[in-house]
Every structure is written in structure tokens, then in C-alpha cells.
Amino acid sequence: MASLGLDLEPVLDKDGVRLTVDDAVATVTLANPAKRNAQGPALWRTLIEVGRLLPGSVRVVVLRAEGKSFSAGLDRQMLTPEGIPGEPSFIGLARSEDAELDATIAAYQEAFTWWRRNDLVSVAAVQGHAIGAGFQLALACDLRVVADDVQFAMRETSLGLVPDLTGTHPLVGLVGYARALEICATGRFVHAEEAVSTGLANAAVPGEQLEDTVRDLVDALLAAPRDAVVETKALLRGVRDRTFDEQRAAERAAQARRLRDLAGLAD
């Protein structure tokens, strides 16, 4: 059975993020439960570092969180005039030039992008609140398993902002435009039953079963040959950008590579 690395010596442990690696499985833990795993630039920089530190042996990345909340979202101190010490406040960002502002937001977004790499399958184990940036971090993963107390919400619009941490694309892809607009514009909570029925979550289980359910899912993901999983993920991720005939051609090309590899005839 795959280990989630909870008892291993961490590869990295700072800024509210802990990384452990157990051969093919990496576990990324949001580890600041006292602040409900609120997010800010330091945490995002550390998440970017995590993506760069992953060894080539890793096939599955599990994202989990300590405490009752997965992540309550943005550290509200960023919204105050003084901001977080050593970090740009929102007011400071608003006063910057367009290019600088764009570059700053792009840098923050990097923390939410590497989870989609084709050579990895990322699984978010989500309990309690996953709000704003927390919701978007869960959406950055390929799969989501949730506890029955989960509460997703996209609150940026309610604060006069927009979701800008890469969450809008997967949200629309999972639930459709109309429901995505309603979720974002109202800022309402999405609970476990709706999350599963709309495709936001793959499964919902009692909180005490969350770790074991994720572990079983990881075992199932690791049971398939790595190259076949990588090719399949690439095929599925590319569907939105291809016509039906282009997807057929992509399937043929991918299958040809797999057949040649299995026959020992790969280039």
C-alpha cells in the first residue's frame, strides 16, 4: 500500500508547507492550521519550490492539509494598507505599472500550475473550508477527494476581485459556464454532495476515512504502467484544444508510441 509520507523526514518544511517523498508518492501538506492554512506570497513561493524539488521517481502528488480547514484562502492581511511585512500589499500592487502588476500575478500563478504536469497525477484531499485561493489550489489538482464536511467557495468576486490563481479554467471545465458563473458571482458554498454530483470532486467520504480513501486511490493510480498514464493524461488534457478528428489523430499517435515501446521498437 502506498504511503502518504506522513511519518517521513520532510524534504522541505517552511512557510506553512511540508513536502515528504516516499519513492513514487510525494505528499504536500499545508501545515499552518492555526491560521486555517491561509495563503500568501511566501507560501506560493514555497509551492513553486516544491514543484522543482520533486524527484523523477514521483508519479503521484497528494495535496493535503492539517487542521479543520483545507485552506481559508487569501491571508486577509494582504488586503490591509500595511499588508504582510516584506510582501507587496494589494494597495501597493494597484499602484504599480501594468507590466509589473501582470508579472507579479503571473509569479503567484506558478504555484498553481505545475500540479497539471503530464508526468504527474495530483490528488487533493480536502476537508472543511476551501475558500478562494484554497478552492483554486484544490482545482489545480487533477483529482479531488473530499470529506463530507467540505465547503468550497470562490469569494474573490464578493471582495471586488476576480479569481486569478488559475481556477477559472478548471472550474468551467468541470461544472460548465453557467454554474461556474453562479458559484463565483454569489460566493456561495458548494458542499460535498453537490461537489460530487457536478464533478468538482471524485468522491466524498466521512472525514475519518479521507486519508485511507486517498491512499487507496493512489495505490490504484500506481498500478497502471507510468508511460501509459502519462500518455493518457496528455490525451485527455488536450481534448479542449482539438477537434474530434485531431483527437482521433492524437490517439493514434499515442497508441503507436505505446505499441512500439511495448514491442521494444521505440526510437
Side-chain angles (χ1 to χ4, degrees):
M1 177 178 286
S3 166
L4 299 187
L6 304 186
D7 299 322
L8 298 175
E9 188 70 23
V11 175
L12 177 149
D13 190 355
K14 65 178 184 179
D15 298 320
V17 177
R18 184 184 310 118
L19 168 66
T20 58
V21 178
D22 185 8
D23 191 22
V25 182
T27 302
V28 181
T29 302
L30 303 181
N32 189 6
K35 293 192 68 172
R36 297 199 298 163
N37 299 307
Q39 299 181 34
L43 181 142
W44 296 331
R45 288 191 295 269
T46 302
L47 287 179
I48 294 168
E49 186 177 354
V50 165
R52 294 169 180 165
L53 284 174
L54 294 179
S57 62
V58 171
R59 295 181 54 187
V60 177
V61 181
V62 175
L63 172 65
R64 60 182 297 279
E66 294 180 348
K68 295 182 178 180
S69 293
F70 177 78
S71 174
L74 191 70
D75 188 331
R76 292 300 183 94
Q77 196 170 347
M78 290 183 69
L79 299 174
T80 64
E82 61 275 10
I84 298 173
E87 304 288 356
S89 68
F90 274 23
I91 293 174
L93 287 173
R95 292 172 176 155
S96 60
E97 298 292 332
D98 287 350
E100 180 183 355
L101 178 57
D102 183 77
T104 300
I105 297 173
Y108 295 161
Q109 288 175 329
E110 288 184 34
F112 296 76
T113 58
W114 62 262
W115 308 86
R116 301 175 174 92
R117 282 167 32 186
N118 287 339
D119 61 320
L120 305 169
V121 177
S122 51
V123 181
V126 188
Q127 80 280 1
H129 293 95
I131 297 174
F135 191 5
Q136 293 187 78
L137 188 56
L139 286 167
C141 293
D142 297 309
L143 309 173
R144 281 153 297 282
V145 178
V146 302
D148 55 11
D149 68 345
V150 75
Q151 297 184 66
F152 289 117
M154 202 72 85
R155 290 289 172 81
E156 287 84 351
T157 309
S158 304
L159 296 171
L161 303 169
V162 300
D164 66 341
L165 296 172
T166 79
T168 56
H169 191 277
L171 182 62
V172 172
L174 289 166
V175 306
Y177 160 75
R179 191 179 295 264
L181 175 60
E182 182 243 336
I183 288 170
C184 292
T186 65
R188 69 172 178 85
F189 285 121
V190 177
H191 298 279
E193 183 178 356
E194 182 183 356
V196 173
S197 67
T198 58
L200 275 175
N202 296 80
V205 296
E208 64 272 15
Q209 297 177 20
L210 185 60
E211 297 281 1
D212 287 343
T213 302
V214 170
R215 188 177 288 108
D216 289 344
L217 175 58
V218 170
D219 285 336
L221 292 168
L222 294 176
R226 178 173 193 164
D227 289 346
V229 175
V230 171
E231 290 275 14
T232 300
K233 180 175 177 178
L235 272 175
L236 295 174
R237 287 190 65 221
V239 164
R240 291 191 186 100
D241 300 322
R242 301 188 189 110
T243 65
F244 179 74
D245 286 338
E246 288 170 341
Q247 185 68 8
R248 290 174 58 217
E251 289 176 359
R252 295 195 299 272
Q255 192 71 302
R257 287 192 294 272
R258 297 303 312 128
L259 289 170
R260 291 193 179 104
D261 184 61
L262 291 173
L265 299 174
D267 295 335

